[in-house]
Amino acid sequence: MIKNEISTAVVRRLPRYYRYLGELMESGIERISSNELSKKMNVTASQIRQDLNNFGGFGQQGYGYNVEFLYLEIGKILGVDKKHNMIIIGSGNLGQAIANYANFERRGFVVTGMFDKNPALVGRTVRNIKIKPMEELKEYIVKHNIDIAALTIPKLEAVHVAEELVKYGIKAIWNFAHTDLNLPKHIVVENVHLSESLMRLSYNLTRAEKQNIQ
Amino acid sequence: MIKNEISTAVVRRLPRYYRYLGELMESGIERISSNELSKKMNVTASQIRQDLNNFGGFGQQGYGYNVEFLYLEIGKILGVDKKHNMIIIGSGNLGQAIANYANFERRGFVVTGMFDKNPALVGRTVRNIKIKPMEELKEYIVKHNIDIAALTIPKLEAVHVAEELVKYGIKAIWNFAHTDLNLPKHIVVENVHLSESLMRLSYNLTRAEKQNIQ
C-alpha cells in the first residue's frame, strides 16, 4: 500500500492524523473531506491531500476519506496495530506517570516491568507492576521479550544504562534523559528532551514580548 | 546581534547547541572549532557554521568559537537569561516530576505554584510548594506575575482550563495534554505530546524490524 519511503516530515505528522481520526471515530463520523479535516487540524487541505496521498488511494474525489479505513491504515504504518512490551527504567515521578498512562496500552505499548536503583522505591507497586532492582534487569529483558525501554533516569547514568540495554537485546529506547545516546545505528532512539522544549517556549515567549513592546 | 528573523529549523536546534556548550563550559573548555563541535554533536561542521552564522561574528577563522560567549549569546536569544515564573496545573506524577526538576530553575524557569482539583492532592507539598485548589488559580496568577503554565491534566479538561488561563493573563502554555489548544495567536503554546513521540518510536521500530527480515 505504501508507495515508497515516506519522508521524515510526513512521519512526524502521522501521529497527529492518527489522533484526529481516532477522535472522529469516537464521535461516530464515518467520512470526512480534506477540507473539513483541514479546518479541524488547522493545516491546509492541500497539505492533507499531499500527506495522505503517500499511502495511495485513500481519498475518493467527492466522497472524502473513509475515517476508519484511514485510521487503521495509518495505525499499521505506525506499527501500533501490534503489541510491544515496554519496561521503564527509573521509577520516580516521571516513570510512574508513564506507567499510569493507560492510553499507551490502548496503542499496543504494554508496560510489563519497572526498575529503579533506589531501595526506597524497589518493591513498591505502580498499576500492579512491582518495581524491581536494577540487578534483575538483564534476566528480565532476556526472558520477557522486551522491545522498548523508557529511560527516565538522570543523564549521568543514562549513557551507561543504555549501552547495557543494547547488550541485553533492547531494540528501541524512549530517552527522557537530557543527553544524546550514541548507540549502534540499528537501535531506535526517540528523545524527549523536556528542557529543550521549555527553551523553545522561552524563545517564542521572548519574541512575543518584544513584539508587544514595539 | 541577530541578523534577521531566524528560521524555525534553526530555533529547533538552538537548545541542543545550548546544552552542548553548557557541558563544554562545565568541562573547562574555552574554545572549540566547528569541526570538533561537529564530531561531538554528530552534525556536519558546515551545518554548525551555517547555524551559528545567524548570530553574526561568533566564530573566528582559525580560532574557533569562544564557548562561554556563544553560550551566553544563545541563552539571550532563547530568553533563558531572564527569570520566568511558572505554575503547574495538574499535580499528579507528571506535574510533580516537572516541579522536582531542578534544572529548569537553573535556566530561569521558577515554579512558584502548583494546582490540582483533586482534594487528596491539595495541601500536599512538593519541593516546598503547597498544592492549591483550582479555585485559587485566578487570584494567584493575577497577584504573582505568572508568565507560563504547564498543563499536565487530561485532555477533556485541558481545553477549558487553557481558555481560563488566557483570560487570567497567562502568556505561554506548556501543554502536556493530548489535544491541540486553539488559543489566540499572541499566546505561546509549546506541545509535548508523549503518545505521538511513542508512535514515532513505534514507526521506526517497525521499519527496523522489516529491514531485519529482508
Side-chain angles (χ1 to χ4, degrees):
Chain A
M1 183 62 86
I2 304 172
K3 273 183 180 169
N4 284 305
E5 195 76 351
I6 303 165
S7 80
T8 321
V10 178
V11 171
R12 285 199 73 83
R13 289 194 287 269
L14 278 188
R16 192 159 174 261
Y17 283 114
Y18 191 72
R19 173 157 57 87
Y20 272 85
L21 291 164
E23 286 171 6
L24 288 170
M25 269 172 65
E26 277 171 26
S27 325
I29 293 167
E30 291 176 10
R31 302 198 75 86
I32 191 159
S33 70
S34 49
N35 282 326
E36 288 166 301
L37 195 55
S38 152
K39 272 176 217 147
K40 273 194 181 289
M41 294 185 63
N42 212 5
V43 291
T44 65
S46 85
Q47 164 97 83
I48 288 178
R49 283 191 293 266
Q50 232 172 48
D51 282 354
L52 300 183
N53 266 349
N54 276 290
F55 320 117
F58 289 162
Q60 264 179 292
Q61 196 73 42
Y63 287 88
Y65 296 101
N66 178 320
V67 172
E68 189 183 0
F69 180 73
L70 197 47
Y71 178 82
L72 293 175
E73 286 299 313
I74 292 179
K76 278 184 217 165
I77 293 160
L78 290 172
V80 295
D81 57 328
K82 277 167 275 171
K83 209 187 118 207
H84 286 293
N85 289 332
M86 178 158 87
I87 54 172
I88 296 170
I89 302 179
S91 303
N93 283 313
L94 186 54
Q96 292 187 30
I98 292 171
N100 277 317
Y101 197 60
N103 225 10
F104 296 150
E105 207 159 299
R106 266 183 42 204
R107 302 268 153 92
F109 306 99
V110 185
V111 177
T112 65
M114 295 180 72
F115 294 84
D116 209 286
K117 67 166 195 177
N118 180 355
L121 286 173
V122 171
R124 282 207 212 170
T125 298
V126 179
R127 225 173 148 230
N128 291 323
I129 302 161
K130 206 173 179 180
I131 300 169
K132 293 181 174 56
M134 292 296 280
E135 289 73 23
E136 294 181 21
L137 187 59
K138 182 179 176 178
E139 200 190 331
Y140 188 88
I141 293 174
V142 172
K143 265 195 187 163
H144 293 85
N145 191 27
I146 306 299
D147 291 331
I148 306 171
L151 215 52
T152 52
I153 54 177
K155 70 174 181 180
L156 288 176
E157 295 156 41
V159 174
H160 170 71
V161 170
E163 285 165 2
E164 297 287 306
L165 287 169
V166 171
K167 270 191 226 158
Y168 306 157
I170 282 283
K171 294 175 196 158
I173 294 181
W174 199 17
N175 176 40
F176 288 78
H178 295 252
T179 188
D180 295 324
L181 305 172
N182 295 311
L183 299 173
K185 280 217 168 141
H186 66 279
I187 304 297
V188 173
V189 177
E190 167 77 18
N191 291 310
V192 181
H193 288 317
L194 291 184
S195 66
E196 296 188 9
S197 169
L198 195 48
M199 283 192 252
R200 282 192 293 271
L201 178 149
S202 170
Y203 171 82
N204 288 316
L205 181 59
T206 306
R207 218 175 50 150
E209 282 168 348
K210 274 184 194 152
Q211 282 169 347
N212 280 346
I213 293 166
Q214 283 165 0
Chain B
M1 184 62 87
I2 303 173
K3 274 184 178 169
N4 284 305
E5 196 75 350
I6 303 166
S7 80
T8 321
V10 178
V11 171
R12 285 198 73 82
R13 289 194 288 267
L14 278 188
R16 191 157 175 264
Y17 284 114
Y18 191 72
R19 173 158 57 87
Y20 271 85
L21 291 163
E23 286 172 7
L24 288 171
M25 268 173 66
E26 277 171 26
S27 326
I29 292 167
E30 292 176 8
R31 302 197 75 86
I32 191 160
S33 69
S34 49
N35 282 327
E36 287 167 303
L37 195 54
S38 151
K39 272 176 216 147
K40 272 193 181 291
M41 293 185 62
N42 211 6
V43 290
T44 65
S46 84
Q47 165 97 81
I48 288 177
R49 283 191 294 267
Q50 233 173 48
D51 282 353
L52 299 184
N53 266 349
N54 275 291
F55 319 117
F58 289 161
Q60 264 179 291
Q61 196 73 41
Y63 288 87
Y65 296 101
N66 178 321
V67 172
E68 190 182 0
F69 180 74
L70 196 48
Y71 178 82
L72 294 174
E73 286 299 314
I74 292 181
K76 278 184 216 163
I77 293 160
L78 291 171
V80 295
D81 57 329
K82 277 167 274 169
K83 209 187 119 206
H84 285 294
N85 288 332
M86 177 158 88
I87 55 171
I88 297 170
I89 303 178
S91 304
N93 283 313
L94 187 53
Q96 292 187 29
I98 291 170
N100 277 315
Y101 196 61
N103 224 10
F104 296 150
E105 207 159 299
R106 265 184 44 203
R107 303 267 153 93
F109 306 100
V110 185
V111 178
T112 65
M114 295 180 73
F115 295 83
D116 208 287
K117 66 165 195 177
N118 181 356
L121 286 173
V122 170
R124 282 205 212 172
T125 298
V126 178
R127 226 174 146 228
N128 291 323
I129 303 160
K130 206 172 178 181
I131 300 171
K132 294 181 175 54
M134 291 297 281
E135 290 72 24
E136 294 180 21
L137 187 60
K138 181 179 177 177
E139 201 191 330
Y140 187 89
I141 292 174
V142 173
K143 266 195 188 164
H144 291 85
N145 190 27
I146 307 297
D147 292 330
I148 307 171
L151 215 52
T152 52
I153 54 178
K155 69 174 182 180
L156 289 176
E157 295 156 41
V159 174
H160 170 71
V161 170
E163 284 164 2
E164 296 288 306
L165 287 169
V166 171
K167 271 191 225 159
Y168 307 156
I170 281 283
K171 295 176 194 155
I173 294 181
W174 199 17
N175 176 39
F176 288 79
H178 295 251
T179 188
D180 295 323
L181 306 172
N182 295 312
L183 299 174
K185 281 219 168 138
H186 66 280
I187 304 296
V188 172
V189 177
E190 167 77 18
N191 291 310
V192 181
H193 289 317
L194 291 184
S195 68
E196 296 188 9
S197 168
L198 195 48
M199 283 192 250
R200 281 192 294 273
L201 178 150
S202 170
Y203 171 82
N204 288 315
L205 180 59
T206 306
R207 218 174 51 150
E209 282 169 347
K210 273 182 194 154
Q211 281 169 346
N212 280 345
I213 292 166
Q214 282 164 3

